[in-house]
Amino acid sequence: MSGKRHSENFRPGRVPGHSDGRLYSPTFERNHQPVIAALLARLGTEPGAALEIGSGVGQHIQAFARALPHLRWQPSEPDSIHRNSIDAWSAFFGSNLPAAIALDASREFGTEIAQLAPLRLIFSMNVIHIAPYGVASSIITTAAHRLAPGGWLGFYGPFTEGGLHTGEGNANFDAGLRADNPAWGVRDVDELAALAIAAGLSQAELDVMPANNRILWFQQPA
């Protein structure tokens, strides 16, 4: 789903870790509290199922599960080393998160998550800019089929708005992504909104996050 070179930046020896397989995200301390606040504002306390696409090393979903325990969280991650880290964090906290699944979001994956549906939330952090555009499209298509009425789809990361970057740092980051892989790159809010609306989801809404990031939200009509 996402690029091998990106995943290799989050390996033992490149980021802090423990002998039990837990790895640390360099952005976790900076952004998890604002993301949790945004999740609570959208989702409230109504119970339901939540799927994270691309759970990385697993710190974020552990924090989400503690802050929103009324949701049944399911981590997913295509990288086996990261799945080990996710499960190691679950063991460390004694959480009841299920084992991370090896979800391939490069194609429509509704059948693979049928047992989780209907979902109150599908959430993906820092995935669609390090993956081909088809990954964003397949996530949107799957969300339209598997979200519960009133359920939310959220993408976290950098975006362009009206074709323009929100800061020089994001423009430089985008150029570096495209130099690594021409299929990668910061995605545009309007282009994603067009895909979502065509699939039957709502108009886009944006939450401003630290470091010129955003959460881009779409909702399944009630």
Side-chain angles (χ1 to χ4, degrees):
M1 178 179 66
S2 58
K4 181 179 179 182
R5 278 171 290 185
H6 175 81
S7 295
E8 288 177 348
N9 289 330
F10 296 84
R11 288 286 186 267
R14 295 197 176 191
V15 295
H18 289 272
S19 59
D20 62 2
R22 284 178 292 145
L23 298 172
Y24 284 86
S25 164
T27 64
F28 172 74
E29 294 298 338
R30 181 184 73 208
N31 63 21
H32 75 282
Q33 290 291 358
V35 173
I36 286 170
L39 289 170
L40 285 168
R42 297 283 169 179
L43 294 154
T45 58
E46 183 180 342
L51 169 67
E52 185 180 30
I53 299 171
S55 296
V57 301
Q59 282 181 281
H60 283 92
I61 196 167
Q62 294 293 336
F64 300 160
R66 292 194 299 275
L68 291 87
H70 52 285
L71 295 179
R72 301 185 306 277
W73 289 88
Q74 173 63 62
S76 75
E77 171 59 45
D79 185 274
S80 61
I81 292 176
H82 291 173
R83 289 197 303 274
N84 290 339
S85 179
I86 295 164
D87 295 342
W89 279 110
S90 292
F92 176 78
F93 283 114
S95 72
N96 60 357
L97 280 181
I101 58 175
L103 192 65
D104 178 7
S106 65
R107 51 182 172 74
E108 204 276 339
F109 52 93
T111 301
E112 297 171 62
I113 62 167
Q115 74 280 6
L116 304 175
L119 289 149
R120 284 213 63 222
L121 173 68
I122 296 176
F123 195 61
S124 185
M125 293 187 69
N126 292 322
V127 168
I128 60 175
H129 55 274
I130 54 163
Y133 195 73
V135 168
S137 178
S138 71
I139 293 172
I140 288 169
T141 299
T142 301
H145 292 143
R146 294 303 185 192
L147 284 175
W152 290 96
L153 167 63
F155 292 111
Y156 173 98
F159 296 92
T160 56
E161 299 175 27
L164 301 175
H165 288 286
T166 57
E168 183 179 355
N170 281 0
N172 294 336
F173 178 58
D174 185 37
L177 290 174
R178 295 177 190 276
D180 278 347
N181 188 328
W184 298 356
V186 173
R187 307 305 177 192
D188 189 75
V189 167
D190 293 339
E191 291 182 2
L192 295 174
L195 289 176
I197 292 166
L201 300 177
S202 69
Q203 292 277 356
E205 299 181 37
L206 283 172
D207 289 336
V208 176
M209 293 286 113
N212 259 334
N213 288 307
R214 304 284 190 267
I215 302 179
L216 175 61
W217 293 104
F218 302 104
Q219 190 174 28
Q220 184 82 286

